[in-house]
Amino acid sequence: MNGMVNDAVEEFQRGGSFAGLIIDAKKAALHRDHDTSRKQTEDESRLPAIEAAYGSILRELGEDADRQGLLRTPLRAAKAMQFLTKGYHETVEDILNDAIFDEDHDEMVIVRDIDMFSLCEHHLVPFFGRVHIGYIPNKKVVGLSKLARIVEIFSRRLQVQERLTKQIAMGIWNSLQPRGVAVVIEASHMCMVMRGVQKMNSRTVTSTMLGVYLEDPKTREEFLMLSQKA
């Protein structure tokens, strides 16, 4: 809420309507509060079923689900799973609603090393790493922290890295309509480290290029060079 008020003050100083912007900011905050409350209600209603499912898993593994150390494990695991998949309740439009600004800037914008944690949909074990995002504005820019929020939305779902990379890129592309978007993800997959081939140092790199990043090799090369610089 304070951030939106600050944005309103800045807009007023540029000649905008302060009162109107304050009202809009308050309406947006109330809308988000309502959505958050609805999500919490939905999570609470689904929690007993998820908790029961984890209890069944423990018993089928041969564990004594009634021993002291496991008494609250199904509940804790259920709450953890809801948190790790909270992206299903969020959309790019919601978080970018008040953070896209008109700006006469047409040079590359890059945010590197965004931490990412997700769950592999094949084994329900984590994969994690870093996301590098670049875009070339088309008269509109977005608050830089919102790029990290877009990563959070799509990574907090059951995922495969290939789809996650494309969803992040398309989320930015559809919202900003820039000249180009580039996303690279480098990640370690616990399904390869803890099970299966058990290769401790393996990393998976995926990329999605849209617009001029796809069409112009020099622009693509510039992004790849800048995003990988130490």
Side-chain angles (χ1 to χ4, degrees):
M1 179 66 181
N2 289 337
M4 288 181 290
V5 172
N6 290 336
D7 291 341
V9 172
E10 292 176 6
E11 181 63 26
F12 174 70
Q13 291 171 343
R14 292 195 296 266
S17 170
F18 182 80
L21 286 169
I22 287 292
I23 291 172
D24 289 344
K26 287 182 177 179
K27 285 181 179 179
L30 288 172
H31 178 70
R32 277 198 293 272
D33 288 345
H34 174 73
D35 286 347
T36 299
S37 178
R38 179 173 55 81
K39 176 189 177 300
Q40 290 173 344
T41 300
E42 290 178 357
D43 279 353
E44 289 172 1
S45 68
R46 294 169 177 166
L47 192 60
I50 303 174
E51 179 184 359
Y54 274 111
S56 296
I57 291 172
L58 289 175
R59 286 188 288 272
E60 292 302 322
L61 290 174
E63 266 288 359
D64 176 9
D66 294 323
R67 68 179 176 86
Q68 186 180 22
L70 293 178
L71 278 177
R72 293 181 57 81
T73 295
L75 177 60
R76 287 190 292 262
K79 289 182 176 180
M81 182 57 74
Q82 286 185 329
F83 176 79
L84 295 173
T85 58
K86 65 187 180 72
Y88 288 119
H89 297 280
E90 301 171 331
T91 68
V92 174
E93 291 75 15
D94 289 340
I95 68 161
L96 296 187
N97 185 46
D98 60 347
I100 297 177
F101 309 100
D102 295 328
E103 192 67 44
D104 189 18
H105 181 79
D106 58 3
E107 298 296 329
M108 193 179 305
V109 178
I110 296 176
V111 179
R112 300 182 345 185
D113 298 326
I114 300 171
D115 291 327
M116 178 277 300
F117 304 88
S118 192
L119 286 178
C120 166
E121 67 179 31
H122 298 148
H123 303 100
L124 299 186
V125 294
F127 66 94
F128 55 91
R130 292 181 175 180
V131 182
H132 313 299
I133 296 175
Y135 77 98
I136 299 178
N138 185 16
K139 306 301 182 183
K140 291 186 181 295
V141 298
V142 65
L144 296 179
S145 66
K146 300 300 183 180
L147 296 176
R149 289 290 307 278
I150 292 174
V151 172
E152 185 81 359
I153 286 173
F154 292 115
S155 64
R156 296 299 188 183
R157 303 178 183 184
L158 302 183
Q159 280 289 7
V160 295
Q161 184 174 330
E162 297 87 342
R163 182 172 67 238
L164 174 60
T165 311
K166 187 171 184 178
Q167 285 179 333
I168 293 169
M170 291 303 299
I172 299 168
W173 178 264
N174 292 333
S175 300
L176 287 182
Q177 298 181 341
R179 293 174 54 215
V181 177
V183 177
V184 171
I185 298 180
E186 307 172 64
S188 296
H189 291 248
M190 298 310 289
C191 57
M192 290 184 65
V193 173
M194 295 180 65
R195 59 168 301 282
V197 293
Q198 299 182 47
K199 299 301 181 184
M200 298 293 294
N201 297 313
S202 65
R203 293 182 67 81
T204 301
V205 180
T206 51
S207 68
T208 295
M209 306 286 169
L210 301 174
V212 293
Y213 287 106
L214 183 62
E215 299 160 0
D216 183 0
K218 289 185 178 179
T219 303
R220 181 167 62 250
E221 183 180 348
E222 181 183 358
F223 165 75
L224 293 173
M225 179 186 68
L226 292 174
S227 65
Q228 301 301 316
K229 267 190 173 181

